[in-house]
Amino acid sequence: MGARRGHEYLAGLKDGREVWYGAERVDVTEHPVFAGSVAGMAAYFDYQWEHQDDCLFPSPDTGDLISVAHLRPRSQDDIHKRHVAFERFAKYSVGMLGRTPDYVNVVLAGHVSRTDLWQKASSPVYYERINAYQKYVAEHDLALTHTIVHANIDKSIGELDGANADLTLQVVDRTDEGIVVRGAKLLATLGPIADECYVYPATPIKPGYEKYAISFAIPMSAPGVVVVCRDHYGVDQSVEDRPFSSRFDEQDGVVIFDDVLIPHDRVFIDGELDLYNSVNQGTATGCTQQQTAIRSAVKLEFAYDLLVEVAKTTGQDTRPDVIQMLGEVHAYLGITRALIHSAEARSSDWGGGAYFVHDDIGLLRNIMSEWMIRVNDIIKTIGSHNLLATPTQAAFDDARLGPLLEKYLPGAKDISARDRAKVMRTAWDFAGSALGSRIELYERFYLGSIGRARMLEHMKAQRSGDSGALKAFFEQTLRSASVPAEA
């Protein structure tokens, strides 16, 4: 089959899945609230064909064109192919879509690539299953969501203790057909409009909690899979007026597994802690973070260009304080690009023949969320009240209103009122709208808290001996002090 077109993706969503929006069970292909989001994701599938030289490659199994996101990297050339594809995919939404299908595709391809990690399993059947599933996803071009966060409501105790113990997804029964799971998982971005859900390890699990150490995949239409949507931030407006909110609310949902049967061939990890605690830890940084970092670079580049236009439109592009803020954003972009280049240049075999970028790319996880928040703040600072005085594009077509707007709401430097409104509405939708605020929250907590990421970075430095500069300085000072001065 190979890579799908948009209409094929839409047809796949008509599968009777149980999706709840508010107190209403909805058909995501027909409910007006989801119309923009569904159309926007369908356009993503068409987009990959429009840019097939960058986004698609021949399947090693069938020869059909499939997404480069499914490539199991084995060389420096594969790293380059992935870079080109990730950048092209990110440009579809200028980085505003955090969970385009290429994201989970990359995760899955990374997991399968580390064949050495799967040798920890009690039986080779587990790798055979996930290997077959990865090929199935690639050949059918499925849109995957994932759920990896435990449903722990009481953060004063362990994630799997006390009141949390019964909430989180776990095995509750075993049958001849497979395992039965019950519980909730957070937060399935793209969940209501994805084809299937891939549940895989996130944070390590301690001995004694094996029933929670599971990984599997299941169609969103499977009996007992219930998706509860948050408020929708998409709007029924033109792309010119709301370029992001009209198309790119990818929706987030809590997934409740109400005694769901997972067939044996879709069970990849079942209570094996050594495997569970290593499969994602051994791939996330070097594999997944390449896609994440490139998406972030594309988003920062767009944000910088947008800020330049906001400054020009308001006549602030020569003010020293504004120039300083523009330079700050460009510095973030430069550092991001440099770190990506460095990590890709130092790609290596991580094990099992899996060729990933250097794990220094994970440093972006420690700082990117702060940068994104700061960028939004700069947009609001430079745009100020101008972000709110933004007529729609249709308003300029009115015989009475249009001339008044052109006269009283022009931009600086001979920029028309229509173009001024277009720039300001784009900036507001990027940083200040309901969707912009949701994306800012997404960036803030992407892949867990910044604090935990920095703790892990410090622990890595301690293990690698990267913190000996002060000790070396003192030793050198003592040696210098002990050398007699020349006569």
Side-chain angles (χ1 to χ4, degrees), residues 430-450:
F430 186 96
S433 66
L435 180 64
S437 298
R438 175 264 170 194
I439 294 173
E440 180 177 306
L441 189 65
Y442 165 88
E443 300 283 8
R444 183 192 294 263
F445 294 107
Y446 171 64
L447 287 181
S449 70
I450 295 175

Side-chain angles (χ1 to χ4, degrees), residues 193-208:
I193 56 175
D195 296 301
E196 298 203 4
C197 181
Y198 176 36
V199 177
Y200 60 87
T203 55
I205 288 179
K206 298 181 296 184

